[in-house]
Amino acid sequence: MGQSEPSVHSVGAGLSENADAVAAAEIACDRVRSSLGSGADPDLVFVFASQHHAQLMGAIGDVVHRRLTPGAILASSAEAVIGGQTELEGKPGVTILAARLPGAKVKTFTSEDFPTLSDEEDPTIGEQFAQTLEVDESLRGVFLFADPFSVPMVRLLPALSSMCSDTLGLRRAPVIGGLASAGNAPGANGLVINKRLSRTGAIGCTISGDVGIDFIVSQGCRPVGQPWVVTEAKRNIVFRLGGRKALEVIHETIETLSTEDRQLLERGLFVGRVVNEYKPRFGRGDFLIRNVMGVEQERGAIAVADMLRVGQTIQFHVRDARTASEDLQLLLSAQHLHGPALGSLLISCNGRGTRLFPTLHHDARAVSGAIRDAEGEAAPLAGFFAGGEVGPVGQETFLHGHTATVAVFRERPSVELDDD
């Protein structure tokens, strides 16, 4: 695909704040070309356009195809976009991340390609997805962008998770992505895959072969109190924890909190469900964070935005700007162990940004500061603010809220491919 001249792995990014959608796309493409340097055309391009340009996603896709002639294009509309160290909240913008990946295979798909999903559990669904998407042991990652009004994410993500772990043992190939966020009604968002525009459904790609992709999911919460075992529950209602009424446990936990932590409860109380029960102790990254949605005083029960069962371990959590910042920095600090990066894709919740942090550009600056290229400079970065973020916790993929998810592209996979 693209030009035939030899190439090496490289990633480039470009951002434009131009108020004209076509001009913004052209400027962003030119900046990508400059960032990529000489060589073959990119194999994969991610494009995100702010809500100001949502109705012109097709035209933006045409510009990108004409100017960059990539092997594949994935584009989504968004409430706001991110490029480099800049988060364009409330401003028009088009941002692009383009990658040359010689030795890797990029296969695009839409939700029309998916096997039929039903409410009944299907033990073969992971294998069906693996066959449909033509994945094998060289799979490095799956990228998924969806319209929030037309895709049953609650059924889709478990199916994709089973493809990546249970069926083929592809535990190092999680799914990452986000929900289009430009509009709050059906038909208000735009998704582009290659030359095709859609207002519904999902688009994405698999990346396999000779490339490294590392993933970060920062949920931005801190555990408080102690872990508890669910001893009575029905669907998303928890009646008893450790043999005691759940509401009684909450009141006891609150009484043990500092004054500062009690103030954080104004932002809500969260439940962290342990994903891997076999670990001897639990810390950040071991919990799937979900909201406490309400209480039932009469029976002392709580409603949680998750399906819980007897025997699972939970712990209550709090969230604030400082905790969210510390959590992201903690996860980013380990990235230097993986060596230099080619570039990164950042998908942040539209509840973050200045809705959470006291300063502008928080997540973009944190990621740019930590993810460095071979020369020690900030690696190219692009992304968007999503209406829900897709990313792994443990070996499963979930739809999150209030998270920052990052995909970091590197020259080589963390685990070398088999010679076969």
Side-chain angles (χ1 to χ4, degrees), residues 76 144-151 153 156 178-181 189 191 200-203:
S76 174
L144 178 73
F145 307 100
D147 167 59
F149 303 101
S150 58
V151 179
M153 301 294 285
L156 174 59
L179 300 182
S181 57
N189 287 293
L191 299 168
T200 60
I203 61 172

Short mmCIF file of all heavy atoms in Angstrom, two decimals, residues 76 144-151 153 156 178-181 189 191 200-203:
data_model
loop_
_atom_site.label_atom_id
_atom_site.label_comp_id
_atom_site.label_asym_id
_atom_site.label_seq_id
_atom_site.Cartn_x
_atom_site.Cartn_y
_atom_site.Cartn_z
N SER A 76 -13.23 9.81 13.64
CA SER A 76 -14.40 9.95 14.50
C SER A 76 -14.59 11.41 14.88
O SER A 76 -13.62 12.15 15.09
CB SER A 76 -14.24 9.11 15.77
OG SER A 76 -15.31 9.34 16.68
N LEU A 144 -11.08 0.45 18.36
CA LEU A 144 -12.52 0.46 18.15
C LEU A 144 -13.09 1.83 18.47
O LEU A 144 -12.85 2.38 19.55
CB LEU A 144 -13.19 -0.59 19.04
CG LEU A 144 -14.71 -0.69 18.99
CD1 LEU A 144 -15.15 -1.35 17.67
CD2 LEU A 144 -15.23 -1.50 20.17
N PHE A 145 -13.88 2.39 17.52
CA PHE A 145 -14.57 3.66 17.72
C PHE A 145 -16.03 3.46 17.34
O PHE A 145 -16.33 2.87 16.30
CB PHE A 145 -13.92 4.76 16.88
CG PHE A 145 -12.44 4.88 17.11
CD1 PHE A 145 -11.53 4.32 16.22
CD2 PHE A 145 -11.95 5.49 18.24
CE1 PHE A 145 -10.17 4.39 16.44
CE2 PHE A 145 -10.58 5.57 18.48
CZ PHE A 145 -9.68 5.02 17.58
N ALA A 146 -16.93 3.94 18.19
CA ALA A 146 -18.34 3.60 18.01
C ALA A 146 -19.25 4.78 18.26
O ALA A 146 -18.94 5.68 19.05
CB ALA A 146 -18.72 2.44 18.93
N ASP A 147 -20.40 4.74 17.58
CA ASP A 147 -21.49 5.67 17.87
C ASP A 147 -22.21 5.17 19.12
O ASP A 147 -22.63 4.01 19.17
CB ASP A 147 -22.45 5.72 16.68
CG ASP A 147 -23.75 6.40 17.04
OD1 ASP A 147 -23.71 7.57 17.44
OD2 ASP A 147 -24.81 5.73 16.95
N PRO A 148 -22.38 6.00 20.14
CA PRO A 148 -22.94 5.52 21.41
C PRO A 148 -24.42 5.16 21.34
O PRO A 148 -24.93 4.49 22.24
CB PRO A 148 -22.71 6.69 22.37
CG PRO A 148 -22.64 7.89 21.49
CD PRO A 148 -21.99 7.43 20.22
N PHE A 149 -25.12 5.59 20.28
CA PHE A 149 -26.56 5.39 20.21
C PHE A 149 -26.97 4.16 19.41
O PHE A 149 -28.16 3.84 19.36
CB PHE A 149 -27.22 6.64 19.60
CG PHE A 149 -26.93 7.90 20.36
CD1 PHE A 149 -25.97 8.79 19.90
CD2 PHE A 149 -27.59 8.18 21.54
CE1 PHE A 149 -25.69 9.94 20.60
CE2 PHE A 149 -27.31 9.34 22.25
CZ PHE A 149 -26.35 10.22 21.78
N SER A 150 -26.02 3.47 18.81
CA SER A 150 -26.41 2.37 17.91
C SER A 150 -25.60 1.10 18.08
O SER A 150 -25.81 0.14 17.34
CB SER A 150 -26.30 2.84 16.45
OG SER A 150 -24.98 3.29 16.15
N VAL A 151 -24.69 1.06 19.05
CA VAL A 151 -23.83 -0.12 19.23
C VAL A 151 -24.03 -0.69 20.62
O VAL A 151 -23.87 0.03 21.62
CB VAL A 151 -22.34 0.25 19.03
CG1 VAL A 151 -21.46 -0.98 19.25
CG2 VAL A 151 -22.12 0.81 17.63
N MET A 153 -22.58 -1.95 23.26
CA MET A 153 -21.25 -2.16 23.82
C MET A 153 -21.25 -3.19 24.94
O MET A 153 -20.27 -3.91 25.13
CB MET A 153 -20.69 -0.83 24.33
CG MET A 153 -20.57 0.25 23.27
SD MET A 153 -19.36 -0.14 21.99
CE MET A 153 -17.84 0.18 22.85
N LEU A 156 -20.90 -6.29 22.99
CA LEU A 156 -19.77 -6.32 22.06
C LEU A 156 -18.43 -6.50 22.77
O LEU A 156 -17.60 -7.33 22.35
CB LEU A 156 -19.75 -5.04 21.22
CG LEU A 156 -18.55 -4.85 20.29
CD1 LEU A 156 -18.44 -5.99 19.30
CD2 LEU A 156 -18.64 -3.51 19.57
N GLY A 178 -12.90 4.40 21.88
CA GLY A 178 -13.79 5.31 22.56
C GLY A 178 -15.06 5.56 21.78
O GLY A 178 -15.18 5.18 20.60
N LEU A 179 -16.02 6.19 22.45
CA LEU A 179 -17.29 6.52 21.84
C LEU A 179 -17.26 7.94 21.27
O LEU A 179 -16.78 8.87 21.92
CB LEU A 179 -18.41 6.42 22.88
CG LEU A 179 -18.62 5.05 23.54
CD1 LEU A 179 -19.81 5.11 24.49
CD2 LEU A 179 -18.82 3.97 22.49
N ALA A 180 -17.76 8.07 20.05
CA ALA A 180 -17.87 9.39 19.43
C ALA A 180 -18.69 10.31 20.33
O ALA A 180 -19.68 9.89 20.92
CB ALA A 180 -18.52 9.27 18.06
N SER A 181 -18.28 11.57 20.43
CA SER A 181 -18.87 12.44 21.45
C SER A 181 -19.27 13.82 20.94
O SER A 181 -19.47 14.75 21.72
CB SER A 181 -17.88 12.61 22.61
OG SER A 181 -16.64 13.12 22.14
N ASN A 189 -23.23 12.17 15.26
CA ASN A 189 -21.81 11.86 15.16
C ASN A 189 -21.46 11.37 13.75
O ASN A 189 -22.35 10.98 12.99
CB ASN A 189 -21.42 10.80 16.19
CG ASN A 189 -21.39 11.36 17.59
OD1 ASN A 189 -20.56 12.19 17.92
ND2 ASN A 189 -22.32 10.89 18.44
N LEU A 191 -18.55 8.84 11.65
CA LEU A 191 -17.43 7.90 11.64
C LEU A 191 -17.02 7.66 10.20
O LEU A 191 -17.87 7.46 9.33
CB LEU A 191 -17.83 6.57 12.28
CG LEU A 191 -18.27 6.61 13.75
CD1 LEU A 191 -18.91 5.29 14.14
CD2 LEU A 191 -17.09 6.92 14.66
N THR A 200 -23.84 5.84 12.13
CA THR A 200 -24.18 4.81 13.11
C THR A 200 -23.12 3.72 13.08
O THR A 200 -22.26 3.68 12.19
CB THR A 200 -25.54 4.16 12.80
OG1 THR A 200 -25.49 3.55 11.49
CG2 THR A 200 -26.66 5.19 12.82
N GLY A 201 -23.20 2.81 14.05
CA GLY A 201 -22.34 1.64 14.05
C GLY A 201 -20.98 1.88 14.66
O GLY A 201 -20.74 2.85 15.39
N ALA A 202 -20.05 0.99 14.34
CA ALA A 202 -18.69 1.04 14.87
C ALA A 202 -17.69 0.77 13.75
O ALA A 202 -18.00 0.10 12.77
CB ALA A 202 -18.50 0.01 15.98
N ILE A 203 -16.50 1.32 13.93
CA ILE A 203 -15.40 1.08 13.00
C ILE A 203 -14.17 0.72 13.81
O ILE A 203 -14.10 1.00 15.01
CB ILE A 203 -15.10 2.30 12.11
CG1 ILE A 203 -14.70 3.51 12.99
CG2 ILE A 203 -16.30 2.66 11.25
CD1 ILE A 203 -14.20 4.70 12.21
#
